Amino acid sequence: MDNRIQDEDQSIPQQPRLHESPGEEPHILLECDGGVLDAIQKHLKLYKIRRKVNIAPCLDLSLWAVVPGELAGDIAASIAKCGDQAVVLTPDPRTEVMGWRLITKKGANLSEIIPGSHIGNIQDYHTHRYKQGIPEGVKDLPPGVALPLESNLAYMNGISFTKGCYVGQELTARTHHVGVIRKRLLPVRFASPLPEDNVSEGAEILTEAGKSAGKFRAGGGEFGIALLRLANINEALYLNIAGDKVKLTASKPEWWPKNAGK
């Protein structure tokens, strides 16, 4: 079974949902980018006020991504048999192509939880999500810069259009209902591997005529994601790296809803 499991550099504030009785107070797990753990805790505590709520990182837990191989059906069967050994084992809520999210105690034997799987590395995971056009963390979704609809969060269960007020709701709802979104995050493939640590965030992507088509967000090797104008994605595009041009091609992910990105 070609199933890969990646350990992610993420931190998990608060306590797991482990109810021993119906009367137990609720516990919530929040997965976040480990680089902003302190900022998220500080932000949540602003709204705690005088409530008896404990907000703390779960340092005794590990977060894994279970990426499906060719035998995805067999993974599901394994999960059904061995899921009781995991703290949390659930389908990735963003899209089924991202497999499952697995939370275990530190040091858990993953081969017992999902027989037939093997442990990959973090770059395997990033390459998989770049190919699918899945953004993750503050590097891919810069706070104050990334817009939810341009980042395709509506396709990944990341936006509610029925919820009450939240920051940016009016603009997000209006754009959604008007249906005009000119730029989107898209998976891109480069004609040659990117140089390591030599591509600045937000590097310009140009058309063959030299006009701006969008900006690079993140990537590694031959794959990445970029915020591109939809009108330009079928043209020859180039990433500008310190004056040099690297050719790239963009594509719309197959998991997107039908008629999406038009």
Side-chain angles (χ1 to χ4, degrees), residues 48-220:
K48 176 181 174 181
I49 311 181
R50 296 182 180 178
R51 303 276 184 177
K52 293 182 178 180
V53 176
N54 179 42
I55 300 173
C58 294
L59 302 179
D60 60 328
L61 300 180
S62 293
L63 173 65
W64 302 83
V66 183
V67 179
E70 297 179 358
L71 304 177
D74 291 340
I75 302 177
S78 298
I79 289 174
K81 294 176 181 178
C82 307
D84 59 342
Q85 298 183 49
V87 175
V88 174
L89 186 54
T90 184
D92 192 307
R94 295 171 294 185
T95 167
E96 65 179 14
V97 299
M98 290 305 295
W100 295 266
R101 308 301 276 180
L102 170 65
I103 298 174
T104 68
K105 294 289 185 181
K106 290 281 187 182
N109 188 333
L110 296 175
S111 62
E112 291 183 359
I113 297 175
I114 306 181
S117 62
H118 71 272
I119 297 177
N121 59 52
I122 190 65
Q123 193 54 49
D124 293 336
Y125 172 73
H126 289 318
T127 298
H128 176 72
R129 66 180 185 82
Y130 291 151
K131 288 179 178 179
Q132 302 298 335
I134 303 290
E136 185 175 287
V138 295
K139 183 177 181 180
D140 298 355
L141 301 168
V145 175
L147 297 179
L149 292 177
E150 289 184 349
S151 303
N152 307 316
L153 299 190
Y155 299 162
M156 296 184 283
N157 296 308
I159 303 175
S160 172
F161 296 104
T162 58
K163 183 182 180 298
C165 293
Y166 54 86
V167 176
Q169 179 202 25
E170 184 177 346
L171 174 62
T172 300
R174 183 170 65 247
T175 303
H176 172 70
H177 292 299
V178 170
V180 179
I181 302 170
R182 294 183 172 85
K183 295 182 292 183
R184 286 188 180 273
L185 274 182
L186 291 166
V188 294
R189 183 167 188 172
F190 301 96
S192 58
L194 293 177
E196 293 186 13
D197 303 322
N198 196 31
V199 184
S200 60
E201 295 179 21
E204 200 80 23
I205 293 177
L206 306 171
T207 66
E208 197 160 24
K211 294 183 178 180
S212 176
K215 295 183 182 297
F216 172 82
R217 274 285 171 80

